[in-house]
Amino acid sequence: IAVRFYQACIAKLQDALGHHAEPVGQVHFRLGSYLERSDRLDEAILSYRTTLQVNEKVFGPEDPKVVPALEALASAHMKQGSSGKARDFLERAVRIREEELGAASPIVAALLIPLAECALATGEVAFAEEVAAKAVAILQATEDPLLPRALAI
């Protein structure tokens, strides 16, 4: 029922706004999230890809607004065991966030952690250690008083 609801919403939005309107991408993202939670990963990936395509068309391929779709695609691919594909999406997300916020941003660090996981999953231990160390260094340098306790856990 939920999938049909999302598909009906997408159809109405496309009729009203066109295929490459931001709200169309937003509903595709929500559909992808629902499908991912339901372990319908192939369908989730298709929906997330559509979100990415819409956002790239609306905002540009290097705009920070494409990052959530990149992260979602990476997550779904990791769950499928496609760590190499996930890594590609995460590396792009990191690059965009570094450009937007700087390489020392805690938001960048949060992206580096799953990137390290992808590297481990593909047997790239040295790269995983390098990326994880960078994430930890960023978080330790952050002036948030809660982070040192969180890192100690």
Side-chain angles (χ1 to χ4, degrees), residues 9-29:
C9 289
I10 289 167
K12 287 184 185 281
L13 286 168
Q14 287 174 333
D15 287 345
L17 305 171
H19 290 279
H20 291 101
E22 182 180 7
V24 173
Q26 291 170 343
V27 177
H28 269 289
F29 188 87

Side-chain angles (χ1 to χ4, degrees), residues 7-91:
Q7 290 169 338
C9 289
I10 289 167
K12 287 184 185 281
L13 286 168
Q14 287 174 333
D15 287 345
L17 305 171
H19 290 279
H20 291 101
E22 182 180 7
V24 173
Q26 291 170 343
V27 177
H28 269 289
F29 188 87
R30 292 185 186 282
L31 173 58
S33 179
Y34 173 79
L35 292 165
E36 185 177 356
R37 286 191 313 272
S38 302
D39 289 324
R40 295 167 63 177
L41 297 175
D42 288 334
E43 294 170 271
I45 288 169
L46 288 174
S47 202
Y48 289 145
R49 278 195 183 281
T50 301
T51 301
L52 180 61
Q53 291 166 349
V54 169
N55 287 348
E56 287 174 333
K57 181 111 175 145
V58 172
F59 304 110
E62 298 301 313
D63 190 278
K65 290 185 180 174
V66 304
V67 171
L70 294 169
E71 290 181 88
L73 280 162
S75 172
H77 278 293
M78 279 294 287
K79 288 177 182 174
Q80 268 192 335
S82 302
S83 300
K85 289 179 182 178
R87 179 180 169 170
D88 293 341
F89 290 118
L90 287 169
E91 285 178 335

Side-chain angles (χ1 to χ4, degrees), residues 19 25 32 41 47 53 57-58 61 89 98 106-108 112-113 116 119 122 128 135 141-144:
H19 290 279
L41 297 175
S47 202
Q53 291 166 349
K57 181 111 175 145
V58 172
F89 290 118
E98 284 179 338
I107 293 171
V108 171
L112 292 173
I113 294 166
T122 58
T142 301
E143 295 185 19
D144 185 335

Side-chain angles (χ1 to χ4, degrees), residues 109 112-117 119-120 125-140 151:
L112 292 173
I113 294 166
L115 180 57
E117 291 174 12
L120 276 177
V125 176
F127 179 72
E129 289 174 345
E130 175 187 329
V131 171
K134 183 177 177 182
V136 169
I138 291 168
L139 293 173
Q140 287 176 333
L151 290 173

